[in-house]
């Protein structure tokens, strides 16, 4: 049996696309020289390439990085969208008082049920509360997530959320009503993002006036309007700013290692503060 001019067994065999054997094609990939049907053809500087060769070439390319070490990705901010979706789902499906009561953060219950430190950040007191926080999250997240990268942004949000609950705990006393007052909302995490985007803009040499004004306005609102946990805002802001500082000022060659170590250390400090608070009360 001899090979045909098209690389197929048998002199009478017509060349077929490897991915679609039922399709005859006399066009060949410039890299692997296999027949490639119109559906599998990808334009190349000379001729066409098959989808398999294009995929292998792309996988071999070094990942592009942002100035802060995040992987450059096309498309929408996936982590931000996921957080917004989780908050919306929680608002729709956890309206029942019993379901919410098991997830809100209450200082007296945090020691025995530590998951409340985080779960409360996905609950909201009403539609306006939800809408304001999700709008702020979308505005800041759509800018910050592409700059930091997905895992840094997710870590920043989650650790800031816990930091907000710890802020509430640190300012509460077992002898005051705040010890048994439930707290919900993503405000602590959002304030952490506020601090992060301010530091990122400063690191890039951009004007930070608008973000500083936004932080001040929201801080004043937290102190002046009843039923707003300014302690959560403060806790999230401090934690987010500290963690973001490590992200945006990390040495270029050690960005990933520095970010991982900083995330672990800041999270550990937050846990130690909460543990110490319960130990002395």
């Amino acid at each position: 049996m001899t090979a045909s001019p098209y690389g197929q067994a048998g002199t009478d065999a017509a060349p077929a696309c490897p991915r679609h054997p039922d399709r005859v094609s006399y066009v060949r990939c410039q890299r692997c020289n296999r027949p490639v049907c119109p559906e599998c053809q990808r334009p190349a500087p000379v001729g066409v390439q098959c989808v398999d060769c294009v995929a292998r070439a792309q996988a071999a390319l070094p990942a592009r990085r942002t100035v802060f070490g995040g992987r450059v990705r096309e498309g929408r901010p996936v982590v931000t969208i996921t957080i917004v979706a989780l908050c919306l789902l929680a608002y729709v499906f956890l309206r029942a008082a019993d379901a919410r009561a098991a997830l809100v953060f209450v200082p007296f219950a945090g020691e025995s049920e530590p998951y409340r430190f985080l779960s409360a950040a996905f609950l909201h007191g009403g539609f306006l509360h939800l809408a304001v926080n999700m709008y702020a999250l979308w505005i800041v997240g759509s800018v910050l997530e592409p700059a930091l990268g997905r895992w840094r942004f997710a870590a920043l949000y989650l650790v800031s959320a816990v930091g907000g609950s710890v802020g509430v705990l640190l300012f509460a006393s077992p002898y005051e009503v705040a010890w048994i007052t439930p707290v919900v909302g993503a405000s602590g995490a959002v304030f952490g993002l506020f601090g992060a985007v301010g530091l990122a803009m400063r690191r890039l040499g951009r004007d930070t006036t608008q973000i500083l004004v936004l932080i001040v306005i929201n801080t004043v609102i937290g102190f002046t309007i009843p039923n707003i946990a300014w302690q959560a805002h403060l806790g999230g802001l401090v934690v987010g700013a500290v963690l973001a500082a490590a992200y945006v000022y990390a040495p270029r060659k050690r960005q990933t290692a520095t970010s991982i170590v900083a995330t672990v250390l800041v999270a550990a400090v937050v846990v130690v503060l909460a543990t110490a608070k319960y130990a002395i009360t």
Side-chain angles (χ1 to χ4, degrees):
M1 183 177 292
T2 60
S4 74
Y6 304 106
Q8 303 295 320
T11 56
D12 297 330
C17 174
R19 296 172 63 91
H20 302 94
D22 60 323
R23 301 178 188 178
V24 175
S25 177
Y26 293 93
V27 178
R28 290 183 173 275
C29 171
Q30 294 299 309
R31 294 176 69 93
C32 67
N33 201 38
R34 295 185 304 173
V36 54
C37 71
E39 183 179 339
C40 297
Q41 294 175 13
R42 297 295 182 267
V46 178
V48 297
Q49 295 180 11
C50 66
V51 291
D52 296 325
C53 287
V54 171
R56 284 193 291 269
Q58 291 179 342
L61 292 174
R64 292 184 299 159
R65 300 284 178 177
T66 68
V67 67
F68 301 131
R71 184 186 291 257
V72 175
R73 301 178 186 271
E74 302 295 334
R76 298 185 177 183
V78 174
V79 177
T80 301
I81 293 174
T82 301
I83 295 171
V84 171
L86 290 174
C87 290
L88 291 174
L89 290 173
Y91 180 77
V92 172
F93 293 105
L94 296 178
R95 301 294 298 275
D98 291 342
R100 289 174 58 85
L103 298 173
V104 301
F105 178 71
V106 190
F108 83 87
E111 184 175 18
S112 59
E113 299 172 332
Y115 63 85
R116 292 175 180 263
F117 282 91
L118 181 59
S119 62
F122 294 91
L123 304 176
H124 290 83
F127 181 76
L128 181 60
H129 187 204
L130 173 69
V132 170
N133 278 339
M134 293 304 98
Y135 176 74
L137 171 59
W138 176 255
I139 294 298
V140 180
S142 60
V143 174
L144 197 57
E145 181 181 337
L148 294 179
R150 290 177 180 173
W151 80 262
R152 287 180 180 83
F153 179 80
L156 176 68
Y157 184 90
L158 296 175
V159 177
S160 296
V162 176
S165 297
V166 172
V168 174
L169 172 65
L170 294 179
F171 284 97
S173 169
Y175 307 104
E176 298 176 354
V177 68
W179 195 250
I180 59 173
T181 301
V183 178
V184 295
S187 301
V190 170
F191 264 76
L193 301 184
F194 285 164
V197 75
L199 284 172
M201 293 173 65
R202 185 176 182 82
R203 176 69 175 83
L204 296 174
R206 299 179 183 177
D207 185 12
T208 58
T209 302
Q210 290 185 337
I211 190 64
L212 290 176
V213 170
L214 182 62
I215 292 174
V216 170
I217 290 175
N218 280 273
T219 301
V220 172
I221 291 176
F223 279 104
T224 56
I225 298 180
N227 300 323
I228 293 183
W230 60 265
Q231 303 91 332
H233 296 180
L234 180 60
L237 178 63
V238 171
V239 171
V242 171
L243 187 53
Y247 290 167
V248 304
Y249 287 102
R252 185 73 176 179
K253 295 182 178 180
R254 299 182 179 86
Q255 286 177 320
T256 300
T258 301
S259 298
I260 293 174
V261 171
T263 302
V264 173
L265 288 178
V266 173
V269 169
V270 170
V271 172
V272 168
L273 288 174
T275 303
K277 174 66 177 184
Y278 284 120
I280 63 176
T281 55

